[in-house]
PDB file of all heavy atoms in Angstrom:
ATOM      1  N   GLY U 128       4.905   8.613  -6.843  1.00 96.00           N
ATOM      2  CA  GLY U 128       3.810   9.377  -6.273  1.00 96.00           C
ATOM      3  C   GLY U 128       2.493   8.610  -6.354  1.00 96.00           C
ATOM      4  O   GLY U 128       2.476   7.363  -6.314  1.00 96.00           O
ATOM      5  N   VAL U 129       1.414   9.361  -6.490  1.00 97.00           N
ATOM      6  CA  VAL U 129       0.071   8.759  -6.487  1.00 97.00           C
ATOM      7  C   VAL U 129      -0.124   7.801  -7.664  1.00 97.00           C
ATOM      8  O   VAL U 129      -0.867   6.815  -7.559  1.00 97.00           O
ATOM      9  CB  VAL U 129      -0.990   9.889  -6.492  1.00 97.00           C
ATOM     10  CG1 VAL U 129      -2.364   9.361  -6.828  1.00 97.00           C
ATOM     11  CG2 VAL U 129      -1.022  10.567  -5.120  1.00 97.00           C
ATOM     12  N   ALA U 130       0.579   8.047  -8.782  1.00 98.00           N
ATOM     13  CA  ALA U 130       0.481   7.139  -9.947  1.00 98.00           C
ATOM     14  C   ALA U 130       0.876   5.717  -9.553  1.00 98.00           C
ATOM     15  O   ALA U 130       0.452   4.743 -10.190  1.00 98.00           O
ATOM     16  CB  ALA U 130       1.368   7.647 -11.074  1.00 98.00           C
ATOM     17  N   GLY U 131       1.669   5.584  -8.483  1.00 98.00           N
ATOM     18  CA  GLY U 131       2.097   4.267  -8.027  1.00 98.00           C
ATOM     19  C   GLY U 131       0.925   3.371  -7.631  1.00 98.00           C
ATOM     20  O   GLY U 131       1.019   2.140  -7.741  1.00 98.00           O
ATOM     21  N   TYR U 132      -0.172   3.973  -7.180  1.00 98.00           N
ATOM     22  CA  TYR U 132      -1.316   3.145  -6.761  1.00 98.00           C
ATOM     23  C   TYR U 132      -1.907   2.383  -7.946  1.00 98.00           C
ATOM     24  O   TYR U 132      -2.207   1.199  -7.837  1.00 98.00           O
ATOM     25  CB  TYR U 132      -2.381   3.997  -6.062  1.00 98.00           C
ATOM     26  CG  TYR U 132      -2.000   4.335  -4.632  1.00 98.00           C
ATOM     27  CD1 TYR U 132      -1.185   5.419  -4.346  1.00 98.00           C
ATOM     28  CD2 TYR U 132      -2.413   3.536  -3.574  1.00 98.00           C
ATOM     29  CE1 TYR U 132      -0.808   5.714  -3.045  1.00 98.00           C
ATOM     30  CE2 TYR U 132      -2.045   3.818  -2.267  1.00 98.00           C
ATOM     31  CZ  TYR U 132      -1.233   4.917  -2.008  1.00 98.00           C
ATOM     32  OH  TYR U 132      -0.851   5.179  -0.722  1.00 98.00           O
ATOM     33  N   THR U 133      -2.063   3.065  -9.096  1.00 98.00           N
ATOM     34  CA  THR U 133      -2.633   2.358 -10.260  1.00 98.00           C
ATOM     35  C   THR U 133      -1.584   1.415 -10.859  1.00 98.00           C
ATOM     36  O   THR U 133      -1.931   0.340 -11.357  1.00 98.00           O
ATOM     37  CB  THR U 133      -3.194   3.342 -11.301  1.00 98.00           C
ATOM     38  OG1 THR U 133      -2.218   4.342 -11.591  1.00 98.00           O
ATOM     39  CG2 THR U 133      -4.467   3.997 -10.797  1.00 98.00           C
ATOM     40  N   LEU U 134      -0.299   1.808 -10.787  1.00 98.00           N
ATOM     41  CA  LEU U 134       0.759   0.893 -11.244  1.00 98.00           C
ATOM     42  C   LEU U 134       0.728  -0.384 -10.405  1.00 98.00           C
ATOM     43  O   LEU U 134       0.858  -1.497 -10.929  1.00 98.00           O
ATOM     44  CB  LEU U 134       2.135   1.561 -11.129  1.00 98.00           C
ATOM     45  CG  LEU U 134       2.411   2.736 -12.073  1.00 98.00           C
ATOM     46  CD1 LEU U 134       3.727   3.422 -11.698  1.00 98.00           C
ATOM     47  CD2 LEU U 134       2.445   2.270 -13.511  1.00 98.00           C
ATOM     48  N   ALA U 135       0.556  -0.224  -9.096  1.00 98.00           N
ATOM     49  CA  ALA U 135       0.522  -1.381  -8.190  1.00 98.00           C
ATOM     50  C   ALA U 135      -0.716  -2.240  -8.456  1.00 98.00           C
ATOM     51  O   ALA U 135      -0.647  -3.474  -8.427  1.00 98.00           O
ATOM     52  CB  ALA U 135       0.550  -0.910  -6.741  1.00 98.00           C
ATOM     53  N   LEU U 136      -1.855  -1.578  -8.729  1.00 98.00           N
ATOM     54  CA  LEU U 136      -3.077  -2.340  -9.047  1.00 98.00           C
ATOM     55  C   LEU U 136      -2.863  -3.137 -10.328  1.00 98.00           C
ATOM     56  O   LEU U 136      -3.227  -4.322 -10.401  1.00 98.00           O
ATOM     57  CB  LEU U 136      -4.279  -1.397  -9.177  1.00 98.00           C
ATOM     58  CG  LEU U 136      -4.823  -0.848  -7.847  1.00 98.00           C
ATOM     59  CD1 LEU U 136      -5.805   0.292  -8.084  1.00 98.00           C
ATOM     60  CD2 LEU U 136      -5.487  -1.957  -7.026  1.00 98.00           C
ATOM     61  N   ASP U 137      -2.269  -2.518 -11.353  1.00 98.00           N
ATOM     62  CA  ASP U 137      -1.979  -3.238 -12.601  1.00 98.00           C
ATOM     63  C   ASP U 137      -1.088  -4.448 -12.334  1.00 98.00           C
ATOM     64  O   ASP U 137      -1.320  -5.538 -12.863  1.00 98.00           O
ATOM     65  CB  ASP U 137      -1.271  -2.316 -13.601  1.00 98.00           C
ATOM     66  CG  ASP U 137      -2.227  -1.405 -14.351  1.00 98.00           C
ATOM     67  OD1 ASP U 137      -3.452  -1.672 -14.329  1.00 98.00           O
ATOM     68  OD2 ASP U 137      -1.758  -0.428 -14.954  1.00 98.00           O
ATOM     69  N   ALA U 138      -0.054  -4.241 -11.509  1.00 98.00           N
ATOM     70  CA  ALA U 138       0.881  -5.331 -11.213  1.00 98.00           C
ATOM     71  C   ALA U 138       0.170  -6.474 -10.497  1.00 98.00           C
ATOM     72  O   ALA U 138       0.375  -7.656 -10.816  1.00 98.00           O
ATOM     73  CB  ALA U 138       2.031  -4.803 -10.363  1.00 98.00           C
ATOM     74  N   LEU U 139      -0.681  -6.130  -9.540  1.00 98.00           N
ATOM     75  CA  LEU U 139      -1.383  -7.161  -8.770  1.00 98.00           C
ATOM     76  C   LEU U 139      -2.386  -7.910  -9.646  1.00 98.00           C
ATOM     77  O   LEU U 139      -2.450  -9.148  -9.619  1.00 98.00           O
ATOM     78  CB  LEU U 139      -2.083  -6.517  -7.565  1.00 98.00           C
ATOM     79  CG  LEU U 139      -2.836  -7.456  -6.629  1.00 98.00           C
ATOM     80  CD1 LEU U 139      -1.914  -8.549  -6.080  1.00 98.00           C
ATOM     81  CD2 LEU U 139      -3.460  -6.679  -5.483  1.00 98.00           C
ATOM     82  N   ILE U 140      -3.166  -7.155 -10.435  1.00 97.00           N
ATOM     83  CA  ILE U 140      -4.161  -7.795 -11.302  1.00 97.00           C
ATOM     84  C   ILE U 140      -3.463  -8.677 -12.339  1.00 97.00           C
ATOM     85  O   ILE U 140      -3.922  -9.786 -12.634  1.00 97.00           O
ATOM     86  CB  ILE U 140      -5.063  -6.725 -11.971  1.00 97.00           C
ATOM     87  CG1 ILE U 140      -5.950  -6.061 -10.917  1.00 97.00           C
ATOM     88  CG2 ILE U 140      -5.899  -7.306 -13.098  1.00 97.00           C
ATOM     89  CD1 ILE U 140      -6.922  -6.991 -10.206  1.00 97.00           C
ATOM     90  N   GLY U 141      -2.342  -8.201 -12.863  1.00 96.00           N
ATOM     91  CA  GLY U 141      -1.558  -9.018 -13.797  1.00 96.00           C
ATOM     92  C   GLY U 141      -1.110 -10.309 -13.144  1.00 96.00           C
ATOM     93  O   GLY U 141      -1.231 -11.401 -13.714  1.00 96.00           O
TER      94      GLY U 141
END
Side-chain angles (χ1 to χ4, degrees):
V129 166
Y132 283 85
T133 50
L134 292 172
L136 285 168
D137 279 345
L139 182 57
I140 291 298

